[in-house]
Amino acid sequence: MPAGPETDVIVVGAGPVGLMLAGELRGGGARVLVLERLAEPTTESRASVLHARTVELLHERGLLDRFGPLPDAGPGHFGGLRLDLAEAGDSAYAGQWKAPQTLVEAVLADWAQERGAEVRRGHTVTGLAEEHDRVEVTTTTPEGRQRRFGAAYVVGCDGGGSVVRRLGGFLMRGAEATKELLRADLAGVEVRERRFERHPNGVANARRGPDGVTRVMVHAFDRVPGPARTPSFAEVRRVWEHVTGEDLGGARALWLNAFDNARLQAARYRKGRLLLAGDAAHAQLPVGGQALNLGLQDAMDLGGKLARHLAQGPPGSGPDLLDSYHSVRHPVGARVLANIDAQAQLLFGGPEVDALRSVLGELLGIGAVRRHLGAMISGLDGGSPEGSRPPAPLGSSVPGDLAGPVDPAPIRQHITRRDITMGRLSGKTALVTGSSRGIGRATALRLARDGALVAVHCSSSGEAAEETVAAIEKDGGRAFAVPARLGVDGDVHELFLTLERELKERTGSTTLDILVNNAGVMGGVNPEDLTPEQFDRLFAVNAKAPYFLVQRALTNLPDGGRIINISSGLTRVANPQEVAYAMTKGAIDQLTLHFAKHLGPRGITVNSVGPGITNNGAPVFDDPEAVAAMAGYSVFNRVGEARDVADVVAFLASDDSRWITGSYLDASGGTLLGG
Ligand code: NAP
């Protein structure tokens, strides 16, 4: 058997962790040989996001530019409950950034090889023999030829099924799998997108990528994990149908995979001349991309230390330095595994975890909780309860490589620091219909400022609704858009489909604390000219839709909930051009009166707010003469601003208004007092 070259370190595995380590070792002057089983780099992308701490460390190494612009991967989640990682910690890179594993591997392979690392593919490690000052590694090539390589140290970066771990006799501690998940990349099929959608039989997830490929993932509550295997498409299809009732027939499976929630960690990351990093050192459910980030950070910690140790140079480079890899990274790994385990239970537990999800959903309404969990996932909390950033890896001899202050060049134009203080509506949820503009928009902003999670509803102007959501988020609040045209068949059903899905994702429940019936249309037609169709439309949008929204919301509203109906001063002051409109608003006041009595026993208050002339941004409010004429109706001699009405709604939404129900609150600036 021919003997291969002697080197300082053999890294087994040319995945992201192995390549990162190889580059780091070369930077520290160590000779490196990377041995990889696969003849070609993988085309599969299992992990696809980088978190803030990883991006900071890549930036420190001058590696970030090589990735090109990293797209924002949007908000993350904790156990399937929405958690925006942009809120996490004090980092210019807070958030999560799309970087498919194939890209990470390609970038790191170039970098490591430019630095002088040798990568040999098609070598499966079949033997390890530790001698007094070296380790001999035996490999087998696809042609069946055996080779021997020698090195001072061998690091297993060879993933969950690590051969180095097995041959080295590393002890794994933790918990075996109790839940199994099936995953498939599918082409040629339309699957509705969903995020961890809970069903009586299990949980389903579907995401369509820009290439049109949909990644589905499904867990059935009654399935027990079997031995590691690749499932057939027929099996994925059967389980998907069992959970969702939908048939994936006709789809073409591009990639199939089964995984589980085993939580295992090597008792020691170092055993003499053998070390482990990444998934070889810890097995966990691949949730939220934490495994890749944890592994890359293992490699960044180990690389400099091992290179320094080998160089036998400066003081502090003895065995203690190398052992500090275990003492630093093992607790970090244990902490990540614990949070993944908690998430696995929230995600894939049966109905018994519903109450827990609900409580956590409430807690996620608190900014400090979101920041804490976000920092934990993003690696910004130092992985220790003390909350410090992980210490910069010791031991690099590369100038400016690992030490020194971070000079972040933010990827994101605006890093939004979200800082919700505890408002009087903290933990509450609200739906404001027609809140893309005008009074509804001001109301949504105000309720969000008071701490509520707000559903911003609109019919056609989706962009305006998104803009309202963005304004709320910029202000530190939480909101999401719900488009649904009112006044047409199925309107309320459609609105609640989206509303309940989004609420569930964000809060873990479909509770709606506050319903504001604001959307409305005006008439502006002479009484003689109004057509039956126009009359019907006014009633459909302004009166019928609010009635059925209230009726539908009754199961979502908790005791003590709030219903606020936007009426109009025109129910008290005559304007013949708006007779039919005023009739709809009269109907709204009846809705208020009768439901107030009906819902009194549940402590739900129902009230009407009657604005006068209110600037809703319509062109007429840009005409000074018209504005002056309209101002004359109010005893304050000005037209109302949308926020004047929003503040009244906010009062009715709060606990301060608990003794008011069935009322009409005049919010017209004294218009009803007469001229
Ligand atoms: P606005 O600026 O005209 O905005 C109306 C909102 O309602 C928009 O978000 C609109 O969404 C939505 N909407 C309208 N028709 C809809 C439909 N069929 N389905 C779903 N959404 C629909 O309204 P505003 O002037 O602020 O008035 C808000 C409420 O206050 C109304 O009920 C109105 O009657 C009442 N009010 C207003 C005044 C006033 O002077 N402004 C006075 C008294 C009472 P899209 O843009 O997506 O269609």
Side-chain angles (χ1 to χ4, degrees):
M1 189 190 323
E6 286 289 326
T7 190
D8 291 328
V9 182
I10 290 177
V11 174
V12 180
V17 176
L19 293 167
M20 184 82 235
L21 177 64
E24 293 283 284
L25 285 164
R26 284 301 302 142
R31 293 171 303 153
V32 187
L33 170 66
V34 182
L35 297 174
E36 167 59 47
R37 179 177 58 85
L38 297 177
E40 297 292 335
T42 176
T43 52
E44 294 171 3
S45 264
R46 294 175 183 227
S48 55
V49 291
L50 296 178
H51 292 149
R53 183 61 189 147
T54 308
V55 179
E56 282 181 355
L57 291 165
L58 291 171
H59 172 67
E60 285 176 34
R61 285 154 176 77
L63 274 170
L64 215 45
D65 287 349
R66 296 179 180 234
F67 285 85
L70 287 176
D72 188 339
H77 69 90
F78 190 89
L81 297 167
R82 189 180 195 275
L83 173 68
D84 192 345
L85 298 181
E87 293 183 41
D90 179 22
S91 170
Y93 303 109
Q96 52 175 359
W97 309 99
K98 274 188 204 156
Q101 189 171 327
T102 43
L103 171 68
V104 178
E105 270 187 33
V107 166
L108 295 179
D110 285 351
W111 176 66
Q113 287 176 97
E114 276 166 29
R115 289 187 142 193
E118 186 186 353
V119 179
R120 293 202 185 190
R121 295 189 159 274
H123 284 269
T124 302
V125 173
T126 48
L128 280 181
E130 205 176 331
E131 295 160 9
H132 73 283
D133 60 350
R134 69 191 279 278
V135 186
E136 189 163 279
V137 177
T138 310
T139 68
T140 306
T141 63
E143 303 79 43
R145 281 206 301 271
Q146 288 206 322
R147 296 290 308 269
R148 276 198 317 248
F149 302 91
Y153 286 90
V154 171
V155 187
C157 299
D158 47 347
S162 173
V163 175
V164 175
R165 188 177 71 212
R166 179 170 50 79
L167 295 176
F170 282 84
L171 173 69
M172 294 297 274
R173 289 208 178 108
E176 293 295 341
T178 55
K179 299 179 193 303
E180 185 190 59
L181 290 100
L182 304 181
R183 204 161 40 169
D185 281 353
L186 303 176
V189 68
E190 285 288 326
V191 187
R192 180 172 58 75
E193 289 205 16
R194 65 203 83 191
R195 291 193 81 186
F196 304 110
E197 192 174 74
R198 292 175 70 76
H199 296 262
N201 291 333
V203 180
N205 205 49
R207 265 276 144 105
R208 197 178 174 86
D211 51 0
V213 173
T214 302
R215 176 164 290 182
V216 296
M217 192 199 69
V218 62
H219 166 67
F221 293 140
D222 59 358
R223 276 177 81 86
V224 265
R229 74 216 156 81
T230 301
S232 66
F233 174 56
E235 187 182 358
V236 174
R237 185 176 165 188
R238 202 171 52 247
V239 178
W240 183 266
E241 184 158 16
H242 173 60
V243 170
T244 67
E246 298 164 18
D247 184 10
L248 293 174
R252 194 159 43 87
L254 305 175
W255 178 64
L256 294 153
N257 164 253
F259 60 102
D260 60 44
N261 68 335
R263 173 170 54 95
L264 296 166
Q265 190 178 21
R268 302 282 317 166
Y269 281 12
R270 178 183 174 202
K271 227 181 144 203
R273 296 185 170 275
L274 304 180
L275 295 119
L276 300 176
D279 286 357
H282 36 75
Q284 59 282 305
L285 186 78
V287 62
Q290 287 186 89
L292 171 66
N293 286 272
L294 182 63
L296 286 171
Q297 290 173 40
D298 285 346
M300 294 192 228
D301 187 81
L302 175 59
K305 288 175 180 171
L306 183 49
R308 254 297 271 288
H309 169 72
L310 283 160
Q312 293 287 331
S317 63
D320 286 355
L321 175 66
L322 194 49
D323 280 334
S324 78
Y325 165 61
H326 170 86
S327 56
V328 168
R329 294 305 298 171
H330 190 276
V332 172
R335 186 163 156 81
V336 171
L337 262 56
N339 98 50
I340 289 179
D341 201 24
Q343 294 195 63
Q345 293 180 41
L346 286 164
L347 273 169
F348 305 117
E352 73 278 3
V353 300
D354 283 349
L356 187 60
R357 291 173 58 82
S358 214
V359 171
L360 187 69
E362 250 177 59
L363 288 175
L364 285 170
I366 300 169
V369 173
R370 295 198 298 280
R371 281 192 293 278
H372 180 83
L373 292 178
M376 185 190 275
I377 289 179
S378 306
L380 294 171
D381 65 350
S384 69
E386 287 75 42
S388 61
R389 195 66 63 89
L394 301 168
S396 166
S397 58
V398 184
D401 196 357
L402 302 174
V406 182
D407 172 24
I411 314 167
R412 196 198 285 272
Q413 285 282 324
H414 306 286
I415 304 292
T416 317
R417 290 275 158 259
R418 292 163 189 192
D419 218 1
I420 298 186
T421 47
M422 286 289 286
R424 57 182 177 171
L425 298 181
S426 281
K428 304 272 188 216
T429 56
L431 164 64
V432 184
T433 66
S435 46
S436 56
R437 52 196 166 87
I439 294 170
R441 182 180 191 276
T443 302
L445 285 166
R446 173 64 209 261
L447 297 185
R449 191 145 34 89
D450 285 353
L453 166 65
V454 181
V456 175
H457 163 261
C458 68
S459 70
S460 51
S461 42
E463 249 178 56
E466 289 298 350
E467 193 278 324
T468 304
V469 170
I472 287 173
E473 290 182 340
K474 190 156 174 271
D475 206 23
R478 297 200 304 153
F480 56 89
V482 180
R485 173 167 291 283
L486 296 175
V488 295
D489 283 350
D491 51 359
V492 173
H493 177 68
E494 191 191 329
L495 191 157
F496 267 78
L497 265 185
T498 313
L499 176 72
E500 290 189 335
R501 190 185 67 232
E502 298 287 329
L503 282 176
K504 187 121 198 181
E505 186 187 318
R506 287 165 170 79
T507 68
S509 92
T510 55
T511 299
L512 180 69
D513 299 284
I514 302 155
L515 166 61
V516 183
N517 272 314
N518 166 79
V521 282
M522 291 191 76
V525 181
N526 286 330
E528 295 80 1
D529 299 332
L530 189 83
T531 64
E533 291 73 27
Q534 289 169 327
F535 185 94
D536 285 348
R537 182 171 134 70
L538 282 167
F539 267 84
V541 177
N542 294 4
K544 185 176 174 186
Y547 179 93
F548 286 100
L549 282 167
V550 169
Q551 186 193 63
R552 176 65 179 76
L554 290 182
T555 49
N556 305 74
L557 283 160
D559 290 0
R562 295 280 184 270
I563 298 173
I564 299 142
N565 298 317
I566 305 301
S567 174
S568 167
L570 289 182
T571 53
R572 304 330 199 229
V573 175
N575 175 354
Q577 298 271 322
E578 295 293 354
V579 56
Y581 167 79
M583 286 170 71
T584 66
K585 294 299 183 181
I588 274 281
D589 292 344
Q590 294 306 308
L591 180 68
T592 294
L593 186 66
H594 297 275
F595 265 107
K597 179 143 190 169
H598 186 52
L599 298 178
R602 289 177 54 191
I604 297 174
T605 68
V606 189
N607 291 290
S608 284
V609 173
I613 297 174
T614 310
N615 183 351
N616 60 3
V620 67
F621 291 98
D622 294 330
D623 176 349
E625 268 181 44
V627 170
M630 292 187 285
Y633 287 100
S634 161
V635 294
F636 302 126
N637 197 28
R638 68 170 175 87
V639 296
E641 294 299 328
R643 63 172 184 278
D644 293 328
V645 182
D647 290 349
V648 178
V649 177
F651 162 68
L652 286 175
S654 76
D655 184 55
D656 291 350
S657 69
R658 63 195 167 277
W659 204 234
I660 304 175
T661 193
S663 271
Y664 173 93
L665 259 79
D666 170 39
S668 69
T671 299
L672 303 184
L673 301 177

